[in-house]
Amino acid sequence: LAVWLLATLFAFALVAVTFNTIRLQILTRREEIEVSKLIGATDSFIRRPFLYFGALQGLAGGLAAWAIIWISLWLLNGGLADLSQLYATRIELRHLGMEDSMSLLVFSAALGWFGSWLSVDQHLAGIEPR
């Protein structure tokens, strides 16, 4: 239960961070977006780079999480080796398998894309050429 709560909290944080980052990008590129709309760019054409960036940002967050897990397990296994000798048993934490690693990266990229989509959908509608 604790792992699910933490995962939900971190997923919400990833979406919120991506949302705010994309919002800032949209606000700094407001004039560029207005000019693009004036020359006939569709909303989906304008939206696409922001969605890609959000997915890449989520993927970078997933890679950071994977690295943190890998380093943590490496550090914890050293302490567990000493503990397992005291109890004459073998205790070892295993690293994520390939399937779990890929699902972590895909899910984090999807969360980044979702946060970006929410931000672009909300802010792009308010930008109209003057």
Side-chain angles (χ1 to χ4, degrees), residues 83-110:
L83 182 66
S84 64
Q85 286 178 353
L86 292 174
Y87 291 102
T89 185
R90 182 175 167 89
I91 302 172
E92 181 182 15
L93 297 174
R94 296 182 190 212
H95 293 286
L96 293 175
M98 182 61 85
E99 293 172 355
D100 292 332
S101 296
M102 292 307 292
S103 66
L104 169 73
L105 297 177
V106 167
F107 189 64
S108 62

Side-chain angles (χ1 to χ4, degrees), residues 57-80:
Q57 187 177 9
L59 182 64
L63 285 171
W66 185 85
I68 289 169
I69 290 169
W70 192 84
I71 291 169
S72 298
L73 289 179
W74 180 71
L75 292 171
L76 288 173
N77 275 333
L80 282 176

